[in-house]
């Protein structure tokens, strides 16, 4: 993931307790749907890579057991 620039966007919300004198708040400049998809993709990629490493380790162990 890369940083989003700018990290926030001014949004007009005069009723918000966090609003400045002009009624603006700092709204995050992040698309949650995209971030969630990227998170799930990373999670399943990591799990798949871990399975590949485990299969390699099992195969190597099995090969060493046969030759010993």
């Amino acid at each position: 993931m890369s940083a989003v620039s700018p990290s926030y966007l001014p949004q007009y919300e005069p009723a918000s307790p966090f609003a400045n004198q002009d009624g603006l708040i700092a709204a995050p400049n992040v698309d949650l749907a995209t971030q969630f998809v990227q998170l799930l993709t990373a999670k399943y990629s990591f799990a798949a890579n871990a399975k590949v490493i485990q299969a390699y380790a099992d195969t190597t162990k099995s090969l060493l057991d046969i030759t010993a």
Side-chain angles (χ1 to χ4, degrees), residues 14-40:
S16 173
F18 302 110
N20 64 9
Q21 300 88 345
D22 300 326
L24 299 173
I25 61 169
N29 187 19
V30 177
D31 180 16
L32 291 179
T34 301
Q35 293 297 315
F36 190 69
V37 168
Q38 289 178 351
L39 175 69
L40 288 177

Side-chain angles (χ1 to χ4, degrees), residues 39 43 45 49 51 56 58:
L39 175 69
K43 174 185 172 183
S45 294
N49 289 332
K51 291 284 187 184
Y56 175 77
D58 292 345

Side-chain angles (χ1 to χ4, degrees), residues 42-60:
K43 174 185 172 183
Y44 291 123
S45 294
F46 179 83
N49 289 332
K51 291 284 187 184
V52 169
I53 292 169
Q54 185 62 47
Y56 175 77
D58 292 345
T59 304
T60 304

